[in-house]
Amino acid sequence: MHHSRLCAVLIDCDTSDVDEAAGFWARALGRPVDLSHSSSRGNYRMLETPLDEPIVEIQRVDHESRVHIDIETDDIPAEVGRLEKLGAKVMDQLERWVVMQAPTGQRFCVVRVQRPGFPKNANRWE
């Protein structure tokens, strides 16, 4: 048995200036950039997020700009296996997360628990 839930919306930006991109999305979404967040470093900027809402993260990437989601789980291998049974494919296995592709072509990531209060609002899978 494991749990999973929507964790984050990541805005992938093919840009040389992640701060400029984060500034745009902060103004567009009405969420200030949170530079004090431990994940606001390097190619990543976090926007301030209310506790019961998914994280919004801006990241500088070297591929075309797009939006993807993260699914957080207390058991990454079990969640990846569940999603593979639904037709998703593993595209890349990194140290702390797995990049997958849905049967419809969208990329998404399966990550360890990121937000407080887990497993509140999470699905329980047998």
Side-chain angles (χ1 to χ4, degrees):
M1 186 265 307
H2 75 281
H3 298 87
S4 67
R5 68 181 180 184
L6 174 64
C7 173
V9 175
L10 287 93
I11 303 173
D12 300 345
C13 300
D14 183 8
T15 181
S16 61
D17 191 340
V18 71
D19 290 310
E20 183 178 305
F24 168 79
W25 285 107
R27 291 185 302 277
L29 299 174
R31 292 182 171 191
V33 177
D34 185 356
L35 291 175
S36 66
H37 193 286
S38 61
S39 293
S40 281
R41 64 187 189 289
N43 292 327
Y44 303 92
R45 297 295 178 272
M46 304 297 288
L47 300 188
E48 287 184 12
T49 302
L51 289 178
D52 283 348
E53 293 186 17
I55 295 165
V56 177
E57 185 172 348
I58 313 305
Q59 67 177 351
R60 189 181 71 77
V61 297
D62 294 326
H63 56 70
E64 68 180 275
S65 294
R66 61 186 178 216
V67 175
H68 79 266
I69 65 167
D70 281 359
I71 297 172
E72 67 182 336
T73 181
D74 52 8
D75 188 334
I76 290 175
E79 182 67 359
V80 167
R82 184 184 77 80
L83 294 164
E84 285 178 314
K85 288 178 187 172
L86 296 175
K89 295 178 183 166
V90 172
M91 303 307 289
D92 199 2
Q93 191 150 359
L94 301 157
E95 184 179 332
R96 297 183 342 216
W97 68 88
V98 176
V99 179
M100 300 191 77
Q101 183 168 305
T104 50
Q106 293 87 359
R107 297 276 174 105
F108 62 96
C109 296
V110 178
V111 302
R112 61 183 166 72
V113 174
Q114 304 286 308
R115 297 186 298 144
F118 193 90
K120 182 182 177 189
N121 299 325
N123 293 296
R124 178 181 166 159
W125 309 105
E126 296 298 328

mmCIF file with all atom_site columns, all heavy atoms in Angstrom, residues 10-26:
data_model
loop_
_atom_site.group_PDB
_atom_site.id
_atom_site.type_symbol
_atom_site.label_atom_id
_atom_site.label_alt_id
_atom_site.label_comp_id
_atom_site.label_asym_id
_atom_site.label_entity_id
_atom_site.label_seq_id
_atom_site.pdbx_PDB_ins_code
_atom_site.Cartn_x
_atom_site.Cartn_y
_atom_site.Cartn_z
_atom_site.occupancy
_atom_site.B_iso_or_equiv
_atom_site.pdbx_formal_charge
_atom_site.auth_seq_id
_atom_site.auth_comp_id
_atom_site.auth_asym_id
_atom_site.auth_atom_id
_atom_site.pdbx_PDB_model_num
ATOM 1   N N   . LEU A 1 10 ? 5.016  22.643 -12.565 1.00 0.00 ? 10 LEU A N   1
ATOM 2   C CA  . LEU A 1 10 ? 6.317  23.215 -12.909 1.00 0.00 ? 10 LEU A CA  1
ATOM 3   C C   . LEU A 1 10 ? 6.219  23.887 -14.262 1.00 0.00 ? 10 LEU A C   1
ATOM 4   O O   . LEU A 1 10 ? 5.716  23.295 -15.221 1.00 0.00 ? 10 LEU A O   1
ATOM 5   C CB  . LEU A 1 10 ? 7.396  22.142 -12.932 1.00 0.00 ? 10 LEU A CB  1
ATOM 6   C CG  . LEU A 1 10 ? 7.756  21.673 -11.515 1.00 0.00 ? 10 LEU A CG  1
ATOM 7   C CD1 . LEU A 1 10 ? 6.950  20.471 -11.136 1.00 0.00 ? 10 LEU A CD1 1
ATOM 8   C CD2 . LEU A 1 10 ? 9.219  21.450 -11.400 1.00 0.00 ? 10 LEU A CD2 1
ATOM 9   N N   . ILE A 1 11 ? 6.687  25.113 -14.308 1.00 0.00 ? 11 ILE A N   1
ATOM 10  C CA  . ILE A 1 11 ? 6.684  25.873 -15.550 1.00 0.00 ? 11 ILE A CA  1
ATOM 11  C C   . ILE A 1 11 ? 8.112  25.853 -16.078 1.00 0.00 ? 11 ILE A C   1
ATOM 12  O O   . ILE A 1 11 ? 9.006  26.496 -15.531 1.00 0.00 ? 11 ILE A O   1
ATOM 13  C CB  . ILE A 1 11 ? 6.161  27.306 -15.318 1.00 0.00 ? 11 ILE A CB  1
ATOM 14  C CG1 . ILE A 1 11 ? 4.751  27.244 -14.715 1.00 0.00 ? 11 ILE A CG1 1
ATOM 15  C CG2 . ILE A 1 11 ? 6.187  28.088 -16.625 1.00 0.00 ? 11 ILE A CG2 1
ATOM 16  C CD1 . ILE A 1 11 ? 4.190  28.576 -14.274 1.00 0.00 ? 11 ILE A CD1 1
ATOM 17  N N   . ASP A 1 12 ? 8.324  25.019 -17.109 1.00 0.00 ? 12 ASP A N   1
ATOM 18  C CA  . ASP A 1 12 ? 9.636  24.856 -17.723 1.00 0.00 ? 12 ASP A CA  1
ATOM 19  C C   . ASP A 1 12 ? 9.866  25.998 -18.703 1.00 0.00 ? 12 ASP A C   1
ATOM 20  O O   . ASP A 1 12 ? 9.077  26.184 -19.632 1.00 0.00 ? 12 ASP A O   1
ATOM 21  C CB  . ASP A 1 12 ? 9.692  23.537 -18.499 1.00 0.00 ? 12 ASP A CB  1
ATOM 22  C CG  . ASP A 1 12 ? 9.462  22.307 -17.632 1.00 0.00 ? 12 ASP A CG  1
ATOM 23  O OD1 . ASP A 1 12 ? 9.532  22.411 -16.397 1.00 0.00 ? 12 ASP A OD1 1
ATOM 24  O OD2 . ASP A 1 12 ? 9.216  21.234 -18.209 1.00 0.00 ? 12 ASP A OD2 1
ATOM 25  N N   . CYS A 1 13 ? 10.938 26.750 -18.495 1.00 0.00 ? 13 CYS A N   1
ATOM 26  C CA  . CYS A 1 13 ? 11.202 27.933 -19.323 1.00 0.00 ? 13 CYS A CA  1
ATOM 27  C C   . CYS A 1 13 ? 12.543 27.788 -20.030 1.00 0.00 ? 13 CYS A C   1
ATOM 28  O O   . CYS A 1 13 ? 13.585 27.693 -19.379 1.00 0.00 ? 13 CYS A O   1
ATOM 29  C CB  . CYS A 1 13 ? 11.227 29.187 -18.450 1.00 0.00 ? 13 CYS A CB  1
ATOM 30  S SG  . CYS A 1 13 ? 9.678  29.489 -17.568 1.00 0.00 ? 13 CYS A SG  1
ATOM 31  N N   . ASP A 1 14 ? 12.507 27.774 -21.347 1.00 0.00 ? 14 ASP A N   1
ATOM 32  C CA  . ASP A 1 14 ? 13.725 27.757 -22.158 1.00 0.00 ? 14 ASP A CA  1
ATOM 33  C C   . ASP A 1 14 ? 14.215 29.202 -22.247 1.00 0.00 ? 14 ASP A C   1
ATOM 34  O O   . ASP A 1 14 ? 13.858 29.941 -23.154 1.00 0.00 ? 14 ASP A O   1
ATOM 35  C CB  . ASP A 1 14 ? 13.420 27.174 -23.541 1.00 0.00 ? 14 ASP A CB  1
ATOM 36  C CG  . ASP A 1 14 ? 14.658 27.072 -24.403 1.00 0.00 ? 14 ASP A CG  1
ATOM 37  O OD1 . ASP A 1 14 ? 15.777 27.299 -23.901 1.00 0.00 ? 14 ASP A OD1 1
ATOM 38  O OD2 . ASP A 1 14 ? 14.500 26.756 -25.598 1.00 0.00 ? 14 ASP A OD2 1
ATOM 39  N N   . THR A 1 15 ? 14.989 29.602 -21.243 1.00 0.00 ? 15 THR A N   1
ATOM 40  C CA  . THR A 1 15 ? 15.427 30.990 -21.102 1.00 0.00 ? 15 THR A CA  1
ATOM 41  C C   . THR A 1 15 ? 16.804 31.021 -20.459 1.00 0.00 ? 15 THR A C   1
ATOM 42  O O   . THR A 1 15 ? 17.190 30.073 -19.767 1.00 0.00 ? 15 THR A O   1
ATOM 43  C CB  . THR A 1 15 ? 14.426 31.783 -20.237 1.00 0.00 ? 15 THR A CB  1
ATOM 44  O OG1 . THR A 1 15 ? 14.866 33.143 -20.137 1.00 0.00 ? 15 THR A OG1 1
ATOM 45  C CG2 . THR A 1 15 ? 14.291 31.215 -18.840 1.00 0.00 ? 15 THR A CG2 1
ATOM 46  N N   . SER A 1 16 ? 17.519 32.097 -20.667 1.00 0.00 ? 16 SER A N   1
ATOM 47  C CA  . SER A 1 16 ? 18.807 32.268 -19.987 1.00 0.00 ? 16 SER A CA  1
ATOM 48  C C   . SER A 1 16 ? 18.644 32.963 -18.641 1.00 0.00 ? 16 SER A C   1
ATOM 49  O O   . SER A 1 16 ? 19.563 32.976 -17.836 1.00 0.00 ? 16 SER A O   1
ATOM 50  C CB  . SER A 1 16 ? 19.768 33.062 -20.875 1.00 0.00 ? 16 SER A CB  1
ATOM 51  O OG  . SER A 1 16 ? 19.217 34.348 -21.128 1.00 0.00 ? 16 SER A OG  1
ATOM 52  N N   . ASP A 1 17 ? 17.458 33.543 -18.378 1.00 0.00 ? 17 ASP A N   1
ATOM 53  C CA  . ASP A 1 17 ? 17.236 34.323 -17.156 1.00 0.00 ? 17 ASP A CA  1
ATOM 54  C C   . ASP A 1 17 ? 16.034 33.789 -16.384 1.00 0.00 ? 17 ASP A C   1
ATOM 55  O O   . ASP A 1 17 ? 14.895 34.209 -16.600 1.00 0.00 ? 17 ASP A O   1
ATOM 56  C CB  . ASP A 1 17 ? 17.029 35.790 -17.523 1.00 0.00 ? 17 ASP A CB  1
ATOM 57  C CG  . ASP A 1 17 ? 17.057 36.708 -16.319 1.00 0.00 ? 17 ASP A CG  1
ATOM 58  O OD1 . ASP A 1 17 ? 16.860 36.225 -15.182 1.00 0.00 ? 17 ASP A OD1 1
ATOM 59  O OD2 . ASP A 1 17 ? 17.274 37.914 -16.514 1.00 0.00 ? 17 ASP A OD2 1
ATOM 60  N N   . VAL A 1 18 ? 16.309 32.858 -15.470 1.00 0.00 ? 18 VAL A N   1
ATOM 61  C CA  . VAL A 1 18 ? 15.224 32.246 -14.698 1.00 0.00 ? 18 VAL A CA  1
ATOM 62  C C   . VAL A 1 18 ? 14.542 33.273 -13.789 1.00 0.00 ? 18 VAL A C   1
ATOM 63  O O   . VAL A 1 18 ? 13.346 33.171 -13.521 1.00 0.00 ? 18 VAL A O   1
ATOM 64  C CB  . VAL A 1 18 ? 15.715 31.013 -13.910 1.00 0.00 ? 18 VAL A CB  1
ATOM 65  C CG1 . VAL A 1 18 ? 16.625 31.407 -12.755 1.00 0.00 ? 18 VAL A CG1 1
ATOM 66  C CG2 . VAL A 1 18 ? 14.534 30.175 -13.410 1.00 0.00 ? 18 VAL A CG2 1
ATOM 67  N N   . ASP A 1 19 ? 15.275 34.292 -13.336 1.00 0.00 ? 19 ASP A N   1
ATOM 68  C CA  . ASP A 1 19 ? 14.670 35.309 -12.474 1.00 0.00 ? 19 ASP A CA  1
ATOM 69  C C   . ASP A 1 19 ? 13.646 36.140 -13.238 1.00 0.00 ? 19 ASP A C   1
ATOM 70  O O   . ASP A 1 19 ? 12.579 36.465 -12.712 1.00 0.00 ? 19 ASP A O   1
ATOM 71  C CB  . ASP A 1 19 ? 15.741 36.202 -11.845 1.00 0.00 ? 19 ASP A CB  1
ATOM 72  C CG  . ASP A 1 19 ? 16.554 35.443 -10.809 1.00 0.00 ? 19 ASP A CG  1
ATOM 73  O OD1 . ASP A 1 19 ? 15.941 34.793 -9.937  1.00 0.00 ? 19 ASP A OD1 1
ATOM 74  O OD2 . ASP A 1 19 ? 17.787 35.481 -10.894 1.00 0.00 ? 19 ASP A OD2 1
ATOM 75  N N   . GLU A 1 20 ? 13.956 36.475 -14.480 1.00 0.00 ? 20 GLU A N   1
ATOM 76  C CA  . GLU A 1 20 ? 13.002 37.218 -15.306 1.00 0.00 ? 20 GLU A CA  1
ATOM 77  C C   . GLU A 1 20 ? 11.749 36.374 -15.560 1.00 0.00 ? 20 GLU A C   1
ATOM 78  O O   . GLU A 1 20 ? 10.630 36.870 -15.465 1.00 0.00 ? 20 GLU A O   1
ATOM 79  C CB  . GLU A 1 20 ? 13.658 37.595 -16.631 1.00 0.00 ? 20 GLU A CB  1
ATOM 80  C CG  . GLU A 1 20 ? 12.769 38.428 -17.532 1.00 0.00 ? 20 GLU A CG  1
ATOM 81  C CD  . GLU A 1 20 ? 13.486 38.818 -18.815 1.00 0.00 ? 20 GLU A CD  1
ATOM 82  O OE1 . GLU A 1 20 ? 14.570 39.411 -18.717 1.00 0.00 ? 20 GLU A OE1 1
ATOM 83  O OE2 . GLU A 1 20 ? 12.949 38.514 -19.902 1.00 0.00 ? 20 GLU A OE2 1
ATOM 84  N N   . ALA A 1 21 ? 11.939 35.092 -15.852 1.00 0.00 ? 21 ALA A N   1
ATOM 85  C CA  . ALA A 1 21 ? 10.804 34.197 -16.075 1.00 0.00 ? 21 ALA A CA  1
ATOM 86  C C   . ALA A 1 21 ? 9.964  34.067 -14.802 1.00 0.00 ? 21 ALA A C   1
ATOM 87  O O   . ALA A 1 21 ? 8.732  34.147 -14.843 1.00 0.00 ? 21 ALA A O   1
ATOM 88  C CB  . ALA A 1 21 ? 11.297 32.820 -16.525 1.00 0.00 ? 21 ALA A CB  1
ATOM 89  N N   . ALA A 1 22 ? 10.632 33.896 -13.662 1.00 0.00 ? 22 ALA A N   1
ATOM 90  C CA  . ALA A 1 22 ? 9.910  33.774 -12.394 1.00 0.00 ? 22 ALA A CA  1
ATOM 91  C C   . ALA A 1 22 ? 9.148  35.060 -12.084 1.00 0.00 ? 22 ALA A C   1
ATOM 92  O O   . ALA A 1 22 ? 8.019  35.014 -11.586 1.00 0.00 ? 22 ALA A O   1
ATOM 93  C CB  . ALA A 1 22 ? 10.881 33.439 -11.264 1.00 0.00 ? 22 ALA A CB  1
ATOM 94  N N   . GLY A 1 23 ? 9.753  36.206 -12.389 1.00 0.00 ? 23 GLY A N   1
ATOM 95  C CA  . GLY A 1 23 ? 9.070  37.482 -12.167 1.00 0.00 ? 23 GLY A CA  1
ATOM 96  C C   . GLY A 1 23 ? 7.791  37.595 -12.974 1.00 0.00 ? 23 GLY A C   1
ATOM 97  O O   . GLY A 1 23 ? 6.764  38.055 -12.480 1.00 0.00 ? 23 GLY A O   1
ATOM 98  N N   . PHE A 1 24 ? 7.854  37.167 -14.240 1.00 0.00 ? 24 PHE A N   1
ATOM 99  C CA  . PHE A 1 24 ? 6.642  37.192 -15.064 1.00 0.00 ? 24 PHE A CA  1
ATOM 100 C C   . PHE A 1 24 ? 5.554  36.319 -14.443 1.00 0.00 ? 24 PHE A C   1
ATOM 101 O O   . PHE A 1 24 ? 4.418  36.758 -14.263 1.00 0.00 ? 24 PHE A O   1
ATOM 102 C CB  . PHE A 1 24 ? 6.925  36.705 -16.494 1.00 0.00 ? 24 PHE A CB  1
ATOM 103 C CG  . PHE A 1 24 ? 5.642  36.447 -17.239 1.00 0.00 ? 24 PHE A CG  1
ATOM 104 C CD1 . PHE A 1 24 ? 4.929  37.502 -17.789 1.00 0.00 ? 24 PHE A CD1 1
ATOM 105 C CD2 . PHE A 1 24 ? 5.123  35.170 -17.334 1.00 0.00 ? 24 PHE A CD2 1
ATOM 106 C CE1 . PHE A 1 24 ? 3.715  37.267 -18.443 1.00 0.00 ? 24 PHE A CE1 1
ATOM 107 C CE2 . PHE A 1 24 ? 3.921  34.925 -17.986 1.00 0.00 ? 24 PHE A CE2 1
ATOM 108 C CZ  . PHE A 1 24 ? 3.213  35.984 -18.537 1.00 0.00 ? 24 PHE A CZ  1
ATOM 109 N N   . TRP A 1 25 ? 5.905  35.057 -14.121 1.00 0.00 ? 25 TRP A N   1
ATOM 110 C CA  . TRP A 1 25 ? 4.886  34.143 -13.603 1.00 0.00 ? 25 TRP A CA  1
ATOM 111 C C   . TRP A 1 25 ? 4.387  34.568 -12.221 1.00 0.00 ? 25 TRP A C   1
ATOM 112 O O   . TRP A 1 25 ? 3.218  34.378 -11.890 1.00 0.00 ? 25 TRP A O   1
ATOM 113 C CB  . TRP A 1 25 ? 5.417  32.707 -13.612 1.00 0.00 ? 25 TRP A CB  1
ATOM 114 C CG  . TRP A 1 25 ? 5.429  32.180 -15.007 1.00 0.00 ? 25 TRP A CG  1
ATOM 115 C CD1 . TRP A 1 25 ? 6.510  31.973 -15.815 1.00 0.00 ? 25 TRP A CD1 1
ATOM 116 C CD2 . TRP A 1 25 ? 4.281  31.849 -15.790 1.00 0.00 ? 25 TRP A CD2 1
ATOM 117 N NE1 . TRP A 1 25 ? 6.098  31.537 -17.046 1.00 0.00 ? 25 TRP A NE1 1
ATOM 118 C CE2 . TRP A 1 25 ? 4.739  31.445 -17.055 1.00 0.00 ? 25 TRP A CE2 1
ATOM 119 C CE3 . TRP A 1 25 ? 2.903  31.863 -15.540 1.00 0.00 ? 25 TRP A CE3 1
ATOM 120 C CZ2 . TRP A 1 25 ? 3.871  31.046 -18.071 1.00 0.00 ? 25 TRP A CZ2 1
ATOM 121 C CZ3 . TRP A 1 25 ? 2.046  31.462 -16.549 1.00 0.00 ? 25 TRP A CZ3 1
ATOM 122 C CH2 . TRP A 1 25 ? 2.525  31.063 -17.797 1.00 0.00 ? 25 TRP A CH2 1
ATOM 123 N N   . ALA A 1 26 ? 5.244  35.177 -11.424 1.00 0.00 ? 26 ALA A N   1
ATOM 124 C CA  . ALA A 1 26 ? 4.812  35.684 -10.114 1.00 0.00 ? 26 ALA A CA  1
ATOM 125 C C   . ALA A 1 26 ? 3.740  36.755 -10.294 1.00 0.00 ? 26 ALA A C   1
ATOM 126 O O   . ALA A 1 26 ? 2.702  36.739 -9.628  1.00 0.00 ? 26 ALA A O   1
ATOM 127 C CB  . ALA A 1 26 ? 6.012  36.254 -9.350  1.00 0.00 ? 26 ALA A CB  1
#
